[in-house]
Amino acid sequence: MPHAASAAAALPRDALLLIASPLRESIVAAPYEPPAGSSASVKSLLGALLPSPSQPHPPAGKEAADLLLFCASVLSASPESPALHWVPAGLSGAAAAATEEMAAAGGWESVGEMVRAMMPEMVPPLKAVVKDSCVDAESDEIGASKPPKEHAIVAAHQFRWLVSQVNYPKLGELCWLVIPCALTTLDHWSPEVKEQGMVSFMHIARNVKVTELNLYEDAILDACCHNIAADDELWYRVVEVSVLLLTCTQRSNPRSPWYILLLS
């Protein structure tokens, strides 16, 4: 499996602290009320990602990765997202500017190039966060504690934003990394996590070669089958992603049994 040295370590700490300063001011000032039934504060979760001069020096690259994850969370927010609907427009604008400043500070030509370089060290932890809050009846111990669902929801939004920043043909080089994580989001019980996985898969399908999906097509289409019975609120997403992935992967095989399984 490909593995890259820490690209995030290329970002100087002084630059990260300077970039993070206006973001900290904006999030502190942002009104926030946890949704009913919430077991964790998303605002606090995001605030903890920002580097601070008072913190001891973390491992090389961690502050840069966390800062980019903060920006990914904010930039993936929308009024339709129960967990992130509270993010103000001013904070979104500041986060967009921060990603540009990070790319420049690290010597990358664009935000997309920076994201592509940093994804190998950022995606596996996001996958782990989502997986840790999944329900697995076969392996979970009775009464075992799970991380709050908000952690998985934020991780799924972060992942979706990261994927969306890499386009054809470069995204195909990262199939080994992004497809397993996207499948993990589809396996989650939360509709909000599932939806981010579906949106991620739509971007993947439109930005990689069919041959790059061959290794994963059965797992992807099987996940689509299992999500046909998802919540009504996701039905339009399920149809959209299933049809797109089916036509992408089975275009040369009109007699594929997947057509019957998914469309009957």
Side-chain angles (χ1 to χ4, degrees):
M1 180 181 293
H3 182 73
S6 178
L11 287 155
R13 188 167 196 256
D14 289 347
L16 294 175
L17 293 173
L18 186 63
I19 293 168
S21 180
L23 298 174
R24 185 178 301 281
E25 294 174 3
S26 294
I27 195 170
V28 167
Y32 175 74
E33 183 176 346
S38 176
S39 57
S41 168
V42 172
K43 181 177 177 179
S44 297
L45 184 63
L46 298 191
L49 293 172
L50 293 173
S52 170
S54 62
Q55 294 173 341
H57 286 269
K62 187 178 187 306
E63 285 185 320
D66 284 351
L67 178 55
L68 185 56
L69 288 176
F70 174 92
C71 294
S73 306
V74 170
L75 292 170
S76 67
S78 72
E80 292 76 33
S81 170
L84 293 167
H85 69 90
W86 55 273
V87 173
L91 180 54
S92 296
T99 59
E100 296 285 352
E101 293 171 14
M102 288 180 69
W108 289 288
E109 294 183 0
S110 66
V111 172
E113 184 179 319
M114 172 182 66
V115 169
R116 181 164 57 89
M118 293 174 64
M119 280 180 77
E121 58 195 287
M122 298 176 70
V123 170
L126 295 179
K127 179 186 175 186
V129 169
V130 174
K131 186 175 182 179
D132 284 349
S133 63
C134 283
V135 175
D136 187 344
E138 294 183 358
S139 63
D140 286 351
E141 296 180 6
I142 296 176
S145 61
K146 293 284 188 181
K149 67 177 181 180
E150 289 79 11
H151 289 216
I153 291 171
V154 170
H157 277 81
Q158 291 166 337
F159 171 70
R160 191 264 297 167
W161 184 86
L162 292 173
V163 170
S164 72
Q165 301 308 298
V166 186
N167 299 311
Y168 179 86
K170 297 299 184 180
L171 187 57
E173 300 171 4
L174 296 173
C175 282
W176 63 273
L177 178 70
V178 299
I179 289 179
C181 187
L183 287 170
T184 301
T185 62
L186 290 187
D187 283 342
H188 202 272
W189 57 269
S190 166
E192 195 167 356
V193 174
K194 282 182 180 289
E195 183 173 18
Q196 298 308 305
M198 293 176 189
V199 175
S200 299
F201 262 124
M202 286 188 282
H203 182 79
I204 292 168
R206 291 169 177 147
N207 285 276
V208 304
K209 298 175 183 177
V210 174
T211 53
E212 292 168 330
L213 290 175
N214 285 347
L215 183 63
Y216 312 95
E217 64 180 47
D218 285 347
I220 292 171
L221 295 175
D222 183 63
C224 290
C225 284
H226 282 89
N227 278 283
I228 286 175
D231 289 13
D232 289 345
E233 63 190 273
L234 289 181
W235 176 243
Y236 77 102
R237 287 287 194 205
V238 173
V239 172
E240 187 177 11
V241 72
S242 297
V243 171
L244 177 60
L245 289 168
L246 182 62
T247 54
C248 282
T249 60
Q250 307 301 308
R251 186 177 304 162
S252 61
N253 184 15
R255 295 182 181 275
S256 169
W258 285 113
Y259 283 103
I260 297 174
L261 290 170
L262 280 167
L263 302 180
S264 61

